[in-house]
Amino acid sequence: MKMKKLLCLSLSILMVVSMVGCKKEEKKAETLKFGMGVVTEVSKASNAEGDANGQGQTTTNVAVVTVDAAGKIVACQLDTADATVAYTGDGKAVANESFATKYELGDAYNMVAYGGAVKEWYEQADAFESVVCGKTLDEVKALVAGEGKGTEDVINAGCTITVTEFVQAIEKAYNNAVASEVTAEHTLKLGVSTAQSCKDATEEKDGQNQLETTFLAVATDAEGKIVAAASDCVQVKFTFDATGASTYDLTKAVSSKKELGTNYGMSAYGTDLNGDGVVKEWNEQAAAFDAACVGKTVAEIEALAGVDGYGNADLQTAGCTMGVDGFVKAAAKLK
């Protein structure tokens, strides 16, 4: 009888050990690379003529992607910030009431009503995202056909608009993607916020109508906690003289602040707020902000901003001493 009990006990122990071993062998979800890319074009910088204002127009396409070990895109989010500003024939900058991305405009973008399209812009962007998922970068590039529109597969999916700019943004996001804790179960979100600052021209100095568009991409878990974050910003200063004539150089390329890196010049010209005599570059400060977002909900990101628009004490200690209003406003728009 004792032998039977010992045998049963031994078998029980073996079963427990076996079960523990099985649990250890459970396959962990694959972690993915996570990245964001922005592509900006300035398409207009016109002179004021007669009663018509001069105008500056900028279009920025943004993409956020996750990429698996095989180099295939697992998830993708797209948006376009298309903004036009104006200045008068007597050198006055005109302030806009508000700015919205094409995705934010939704049905109000009126592609169906006035463009004769079957689907609105945001629906077409969603359709292109669905085609992109499961493809490598080379396969995504091959989706561009004649006149910048998509291939038959793209059109059949419901995207009939030009996709060249989407692909350019996706390529940047793909190349910017870095290792992360993001998995296929997490949700990608993208927020875009545009701020404007205006200065009238004088006889001695050009005026400016400046656009600063901030982007924040995140991946969130089932509880809404941020697993990874990536931010960037594009600044375009449309300049003009006292007669409303544009003095903006349309030939120059526009790079984001993150792309500019040390060339942005924050270390050389920035203000030291935390008292250690060191001012980090914009891209380094943005990276500190991104890191601070991890583990927080979108609502909790607001607490990262102090009362003066700069980062709170913890954020400044982490290395982000610049203004974070743009980041916080972009976070509020995460979709």
Side-chain angles (χ1 to χ4, degrees), residues 232-256:
D232 208 342
C233 182
V234 173
Q235 186 182 77
V236 178
K237 297 178 182 179
F238 289 101
T239 54
F240 48 90
D241 65 21
T243 68
S246 172
T247 57
Y248 181 85
D249 182 6
L250 269 172
T251 65
K252 68 179 180 181
V254 178
S255 298
S256 73

Side-chain angles (χ1 to χ4, degrees), residues 1-10:
M1 199 70 175
K2 287 182 179 179
M3 288 294 293
K4 284 186 178 181
K5 286 183 178 180
L6 285 170
L7 181 61
C8 289
L9 181 60
S10 298

Side-chain angles (χ1 to χ4, degrees), residues 58-261:
T58 180
T59 301
T60 299
N61 287 277
V62 55
V64 54
V65 299
T66 50
V67 183
D68 67 16
K72 293 187 176 183
I73 293 173
V74 177
C76 176
Q77 284 279 303
L78 299 165
D79 206 346
T80 299
D82 195 1
T84 301
V85 296
Y87 34 90
T88 65
D90 56 353
K92 307 291 185 186
V94 179
N96 292 34
E97 289 186 8
S98 62
F99 297 93
T101 68
K102 290 184 179 182
Y103 206 101
E104 285 177 311
L105 285 169
D107 293 335
Y109 189 67
N110 285 324
M111 183 170 276
V112 172
Y114 299 106
V118 176
K119 292 185 177 182
E120 283 295 347
W121 189 95
Y122 71 96
E123 296 172 307
Q124 299 209 31
D126 286 344
F128 190 72
E129 292 166 5
S130 68
V131 176
V132 162
C133 291
K135 289 182 170 54
T136 64
L137 180 59
D138 286 340
E139 289 170 336
V140 171
K141 288 181 177 181
L143 294 174
V144 182
E147 298 180 349
K149 293 201 172 185
T151 59
E152 187 176 342
D153 287 344
V154 173
I155 293 171
N156 289 340
C159 180
T160 60
I161 57 178
T162 59
V163 297
T164 304
E165 292 79 10
F166 284 162
V167 172
Q168 290 172 346
I170 288 170
E171 181 174 10
K172 277 195 178 182
Y174 191 101
N175 290 333
N176 289 339
V178 295
S180 73
E181 294 301 313
V182 181
T183 69
E185 288 72 37
H186 295 138
T187 302
L188 291 188
K189 296 184 178 183
L190 181 60
V192 183
S193 176
T194 298
Q196 179 186 29
S197 59
C198 299
K199 290 182 181 178
D200 295 337
T202 65
E203 292 298 329
E204 296 78 25
K205 193 171 183 179
D206 286 349
Q208 70 178 39
N209 205 329
Q210 176 179 294
L211 291 170
E212 185 162 279
T213 303
T214 305
F215 307 88
L216 180 64
V218 302
T220 59
D221 64 17
E223 286 74 44
K225 297 279 188 181
I226 293 169
V227 180
S231 58
D232 208 342
C233 182
V234 173
Q235 186 182 77
V236 178
K237 297 178 182 179
F238 289 101
T239 54
F240 48 90
D241 65 21
T243 68
S246 172
T247 57
Y248 181 85
D249 182 6
L250 269 172
T251 65
K252 68 179 180 181
V254 178
S255 298
S256 73
K257 291 184 179 181
K258 186 166 281 186
E259 288 172 326
L260 285 169

